[in-house]
Structure formats: C-alpha cells, structure tokens
Amino acid sequence: MHILFATSEAAPFSKTGGLADVCGALPKALSQLGHKATIVTPLYKCVREYFERSGERLTPLRGVALDVRVGAVVKGAGVRCAKLAGSDVDVYFIEHDDYFYRDGLYNYQGVDYGDNCERYSFFCRAVLELIAALELDVDVLHANDWQTGLLPVFLEAAYKSRSRFASEPASYFGVRPRLADPELPPNRFDKIKSVLTLHNMRHQGRFWRGAMELTGLDWSYFSYDKMEFYGQLNLLKSGIVFSDAITTVSPSYAQEIQTEAFGEKLQGVLQNRAADLTGILNGVDVDDWNPATDRFIAANYDVDTVLENKPKCKAALQEQLGLPVEARTPLFGVVSRFDEQKGLDLIADLAGEFIEKENAQFAILGSGDRALTDRFMALAARYPRNFAVRATFSVELSHQIEAGADVFLMPSRYEPCGLNQMYSLRYGTLPLVRDVGGLRDSVVNASDENIDAGIADGFIFYWGTADDMAKAMHWALHCYRRRPNDWAKMMKTAMSLDLSWEQSARKYAELYEKLIG
Ligand code: ADP
Ligand code: GLC
C-alpha cells in the first residue's frame, strides 16, 4: 500500500505540537511494516533553516512546477524533496514563499495570519497536483486536522472522475463536479481513499463564507450538510463530511467528541459518521525518547539502572534551574503549550500550597498564553527556591524535565491523545493526569488494587477541579515519601510498557486495508 500523508507540520522539520510528532513518526512506522509512506508538507522558513543547520540534503525537483488553482487564478509551486532520516520515507516540500516563508507556521506573535484559508487551500490542491505531476500511485491520502481538511473535498469534488458526491447531491443541487484539469489521467484519483485524522477538535479552520471563492468549488457545496457551519466556511467539518474514514488519536476521544461537552459543536456531524470513526492511540518515537540513549540528559538509564541514575538527572535539572539540589524533595515537571486546553491554571492555583506545606519543587517549560505565563513568572519570583519556569521552546530542556522530574503533571481539560504523559512513562517519571481522552487510555491509576496487581503507573484525578487535583497530588506525595517500594515498582511498570508506534501503525494499516478492500 502507498499512503501519502498531507500535513501542515512534521517533525523534525516543523513543529508547534504533537501533530508534528505524529506525522514524523507514523509514516516511518508504516514503512517499517513494509508499506510505502510519503509525506507532503509546506516548505516553511523553519524547514529551510532546519536543512541549513543539519546539513541534510534538500533536493529541488527540477522541471516539476505545479499549477495550483486558488479561486479563479492559478499560482505556481515548486517542490523539493528529502528523506525522513533513518527511513525510506520520501518527504516532499511544497514551495511557495509568499505563503510559507514566514516566521510562524500559522500566526505571528499570537495573531493568526489573515490568509490562512488561502494558504492551506493552496497547499491541499498542491498535494493533489503533485500526485498528478509525479504520477504517484497512491492508495490512501491521509489528511490531518483542519489545515488539510479540504484535501478529501478536492479529491472528491474536483479530482476524481466519478465522485460519490456527484450523483445524489449533484442532481439535488444541480452541481456538476468535474476534473479541475482535463489533462489529468481520469482514473489516477478514482481509487484513492481518504482518511482524516482529528488531532484536536478545538481548532477547526473557520473562515468568512466569502473564503469559499478561494477553494474554487461550486457554492452549492456551501450547505449545512457539507462545508457550511453557522454561516461560516469550516475546513475541519468539510474534511469530516468528505473523507472515507475518520480517525482520532485515542479511543476515549473518539467517544468524547460525539458528545456536546467535547464535540465543539461538531458532535452531530461526527455522530452521523460514527460508523466510519475510529480512535487509535498515538505511539512514541522510541528512538527519540529513550532514557538509555538520550543525549540531552545527565545520565542514561534503563529499567535496571533507573534507581541509580535517574537521581543524577534530577540533580542536574535542579541545578540547571537554580533549585536547591535535594534528592528527596519531590519535583513536579510540566512541558506543555500554555493553552486553556492544558488546564495549567490548576497548577498555578495549587503551587503555593504545595510549596508552603510540602516544600515541593516545580519545573515548568512551555509557552503561549500571556496571562498564564505571567502567573507562573509571579510564582517563580515569589518562590525562587521551589518554582522554576522557562517560557520558551526547548527540546533539550523538555527531555531533561522528562528524565529529572519525579511526577509529570498533565491536568488537561481535554486531551485527544497527549504525548508527554507517554514520554514520562518511558522515563519512569510517573504522570499525574486528568481522567480524559488519551490520558485515560494511557495511564493506569495508582489505586491499591492496581499497585498490587502490578499495573499502576501514574495518578488520575476524575473531576477536573483544583481540589480534586490536590488530592491526587497529596496521594502521589504520600506514595513517593512513604511507599518507596511501590514507587519503584510503578516506575518499572511504566518503563516496561510497549509504547512504540508499531502497534498503532498496525491498526492504521488494518484500517487502510479495510478501506481499499
Ligand atoms: P499538543 O500537541 O496538544 O501540544 P502533545 O502532548 O500531543 O500536546 O504534544 C506536545 C509536543 O510538543 C510534545 O512533543 C512536547 O514535548 C512538545 N512541546 C510542547 N511545548 C514544548 C516546549 N515549550 N519546548 C519543547 N517541547 C515542547
Ligand atoms: C493534538 C492534541 C494532542 C495529541 C496531538 C497529536 O495537538 O492536543 O493531545 O497528542 O495532537 O495527535
């Protein structure tokens, strides 16, 4: 099978969050299972910088110039290509500097670019033009999040010679979907199945209805059962309606998003497609996140040496952050986007109490929301011996916190999957999480039964309030201080889990196979 991933970010080239990790790792895992996997992603400024820094090869595809339709005009796109390190995966970068050579991926200093709809509509069409230009034999087109939500739409409405949307709605609305480019071999796209993965329902790509013009699609598609959403154009909804299958990144989130509490107003659309919706838990890139080989941490360790060497990582982290180097002082770690989603305000609410009564330490890395950053900065100023915050993006420090902390905090309000709790498990740093989404699916609570059964590997709180989180933190501290044998057992349980991408990749492969029959 040949699976082509279209994504607005892919690690290590471009990244704002977990989407990039997934789109860098899943294709690699599929290719290791013997499938052909290809990635297509924009050539951003940071991608060029990555290649300059790393010295890896980024080859221009000479002679390949894509004609990409944007509304009524056609714009050119160049293509460059590279290999994903350590794999057979081809990565094609779509080059159009007006759209992509910018400082941020989606926004600048917190303000979204005004032309995001145009940029990603262009990108989606460019992906399809690339398939045509290189005559790629693709079985599955795998889109991710709102940025590529138009891909299944274009595939169905403008590239296939026979669209399943052509027959019924076509006669109903009088639409006549046709090939955008009559020179294309008529059948190249016909066999392609589309999959859309929902990494986060909060971000939907909602735009003024006039943006429909940019898509070049007939206005009849702007209807409540297709691309329209409360008077706006909604790219994520469009993708959900038009793709052959929909996945999301954990089984629990797949259920949650069909309810009002988590569906972000698309629960009805998702209920309609429930039969085609699956949740597959993300994996971990076990080469990148391996305490036995991690080059960023003070001492390497595995399940046999964790008790001896993890404390060295803790001491190094404390020292680096200017916290007193004390082996038995409990250290809570956080690596996160500062966003309402992540529930970090609960940590800001509780830190003072845990510092004053328990002498706990906090090591926090993240960036985003201004008000939350200010609250954390104020705590750091008030408690310099206990509270350290670094408001930046640092891969190195993120590894050091994963290795050095005792407990990793993730009180998310919602969490489609979450990767950091899984990185924590690999590093023997017990995660303390809210009972939601992928957190629920990846952490086993330290109840007495679970500890006895040897399956506990973290702490879960259920109600999402500060009180409730405080109880879980107190329980974690109790176990840490008074039940060292149980703690060691939980660390080892966590570190022995198989969190690799292989298992998840097999589930995706099964789904693709079912789709293409
Ligand atoms: P989300 O995608 O919602 O942000 P995930 O847990 O899926 O959450 O993934 C977040 C990814 O981004 C992880 O790889 C995490 O280590 C990384 N990350 C987030 N903030 C930072 C930061 N400030 N510095 C380094 N890495 C970060
Ligand atoms: C999103 C979600 C996160 C998930 C990631 C990768 O950013 O917020 O929970 O792990 O996508 O799927």
Side-chain angles (χ1 to χ4, degrees):
M1 266 185 305
H2 181 183
I3 305 103
L4 186 146
F5 282 83
T7 176
S8 60
E9 50 185 280
F13 314 110
S14 52
K15 165 163 165 173
T16 67
L19 169 64
D21 295 285
V22 174
C23 291
L26 176 57
K28 197 155 86 179
L30 284 163
S31 128
Q32 277 157 5
L33 291 181
H35 303 292
K36 179 161 175 57
T38 302
I39 301 174
V40 188
T41 191
L43 184 69
Y44 299 110
K45 185 176 177 192
C46 64
V47 175
R48 290 182 191 264
E49 288 166 353
Y50 171 84
F51 282 99
E52 278 158 25
R53 251 194 340 266
S54 69
E56 285 171 38
R57 275 171 67 95
L58 177 63
T59 317
L61 286 192
R62 300 205 192 285
V64 179
L66 309 177
D67 286 337
V68 184
R69 183 166 167 195
V70 181
V73 297
V74 171
K75 299 192 176 190
V79 184
R80 300 196 180 208
C81 94
K83 282 273 181 216
L84 190 63
S87 78
D88 275 342
V89 177
D90 291 319
V91 189
Y92 293 103
F93 296 95
I94 301 296
E95 178 177 4
H96 187 98
D97 284 351
D98 277 355
Y99 287 140
F100 302 127
Y101 194 80
R102 301 183 187 183
D103 276 323
L105 267 49
Y106 316 122
N107 53 51
Y108 181 64
Q109 296 187 339
V111 182
D112 282 349
Y113 294 128
D115 59 352
N116 273 345
C117 185
E118 184 174 334
R119 296 169 78 219
Y120 290 103
S121 175
F122 172 89
F123 174 67
C124 290
R125 280 207 185 247
V127 172
L128 293 158
E129 292 297 333
L130 180 78
I131 295 174
L134 301 187
E135 299 184 7
L136 299 177
D137 184 16
V138 173
D139 298 297
V140 177
L141 198 46
H142 193 140
N144 294 276
D145 275 353
W146 69 265
Q147 294 90 337
T148 43
L150 284 174
L151 199 53
V153 188
F154 290 148
L155 176 68
E156 282 294 332
Y159 283 78
K160 287 193 176 189
S161 64
R162 286 180 308 279
S163 167
R164 67 192 162 86
F165 283 83
S167 46
E168 24 82 52
S171 50
Y172 180 74
F173 290 111
V175 184
R176 210 167 28 83
R178 41 2 22 329
L179 282 176
D181 177 351
E183 277 126 65
L184 292 177
N187 280 324
R188 177 164 306 283
F189 295 95
D190 287 346
K191 71 159 189 180
I192 301 182
K193 297 293 179 190
S194 57
V195 175
L196 171 69
T197 294
L198 308 169
H199 297 265
N200 195 329
M201 292 298 297
R202 178 72 52 92
H203 307 291
Q204 301 183 358
R206 307 210 292 239
F207 301 97
W208 174 57
R209 60 189 316 189
M212 255 322 265
E213 292 289 340
L214 296 169
T215 66
L217 295 171
D218 193 280
W219 272 92
S220 57
Y221 284 87
F222 191 73
S223 62
Y224 77 93
D225 59 344
K226 295 198 181 60
M227 303 173 73
E228 187 265 358
F229 178 81
Y230 296 95
Q232 289 185 302
L233 170 63
N234 184 321
L235 303 191
L236 191 69
K237 170 177 173 176
S238 306
I240 295 172
V241 172
F242 280 78
S243 53
D244 292 304
I246 303 142
T247 72
T248 183
V249 288
S250 67
S252 288
Y253 194 59
Q255 295 307 314
E256 289 167 350
I257 57 179
Q258 298 180 51
T259 67
E260 195 181 340
F262 293 94
E264 304 285 345
K265 298 206 167 84
L266 289 177
Q267 61 273 12
V269 181
L270 288 162
Q271 285 160 15
N272 274 335
R273 300 232 44 202
D276 306 308
L277 170 64
T278 353
I280 301 176
L281 197 68
N282 287 332
V284 166
D285 190 322
V286 289
D287 300 328
D288 265 7
W289 295 94
N290 181 356
T293 54
D294 193 322
R295 62 202 156 91
F296 296 122
I297 62 180
N300 290 117
Y301 56 90
D302 58 19
V303 70
D304 297 320
T305 50
V306 55
L307 296 181
E308 188 187 325
N309 284 352
K310 192 173 189 309
K312 297 179 190 158
C313 298
K314 178 171 176 178
L317 179 65
Q318 287 170 318
E319 184 169 349
Q320 184 190 342
L321 295 178
L323 301 169
V325 179
E326 296 165 354
R328 292 305 299 162
T329 298
L331 174 54
F332 292 107
V334 173
V335 178
S336 181
R337 286 184 292 119
F338 291 173
D339 183 284
E340 207 246 351
Q341 169 188 350
K342 303 293 179 180
L344 302 172
D345 45 310
L346 297 187
I347 298 176
D349 291 345
L350 293 171
E353 174 191 335
F354 278 83
I355 290 169
E356 287 175 16
K357 297 201 183 128
E358 304 284 350
N359 186 33
Q361 294 180 342
F362 292 82
I364 301 198
L365 169 66
S367 57
D369 184 76
R370 190 73 252 164
L372 191 66
T373 311
D374 291 346
R375 283 189 77 188
F376 284 149
M377 291 297 185
L379 282 161
R382 174 144 183 222
Y383 303 108
R385 293 175 57 80
N386 292 78
F387 198 95
V389 55
R390 296 290 178 271
T392 156
F393 195 93
S394 163
V395 172
E396 197 171 333
L397 184 55
S398 72
H399 284 247
Q400 290 157 349
I401 291 178
E402 289 294 1
D406 296 303
V407 176
F408 191 91
L409 301 177
M410 239 169 130
S412 307
R413 293 200 160 75
Y414 71 96
E415 196 60 78
C417 177
L419 296 170
N420 282 102
Q421 82 281 11
M422 297 199 277
Y423 301 156
S424 304
L425 291 166
R426 295 249 321 142
Y427 283 67
T429 301
L430 303 187
L432 187 152
V433 305
R434 184 173 172 197
D435 180 46
V436 75
L439 300 175
R440 167 191 299 156
D441 295 341
S442 55
V443 177
V444 179
N445 188 35
S447 63
D448 281 317
E449 301 78 18
N450 289 341
I451 295 177
D452 288 345
I455 54 172
D457 54 24
F459 303 88
I460 301 187
F461 65 102
Y462 295 87
W463 298 110
T465 60
D467 269 0
D468 200 28
M469 181 172 179
K471 278 187 200 132
M473 287 170 72
H474 281 298
W475 174 235
L477 290 185
H478 174 84
C479 294
Y480 177 75
R481 289 185 172 132
R482 311 248 178 256
R483 299 173 61 166
N485 292 339
D486 288 335
W487 195 273
K489 182 169 158 186
M490 289 195 276
M491 290 206 298
K492 292 186 174 181
T493 302
M495 291 181 71
S496 310
L497 297 169
D498 177 6
L499 301 171
S500 70
W501 266 104
E502 190 183 325
Q503 304 187 54
S504 319
R506 284 189 197 285
K507 293 187 183 145
Y508 278 102
E510 251 170 56
L511 174 92
Y512 302 144
E513 260 148 22
K514 217 165 78 193
L515 273 181
I516 61 184

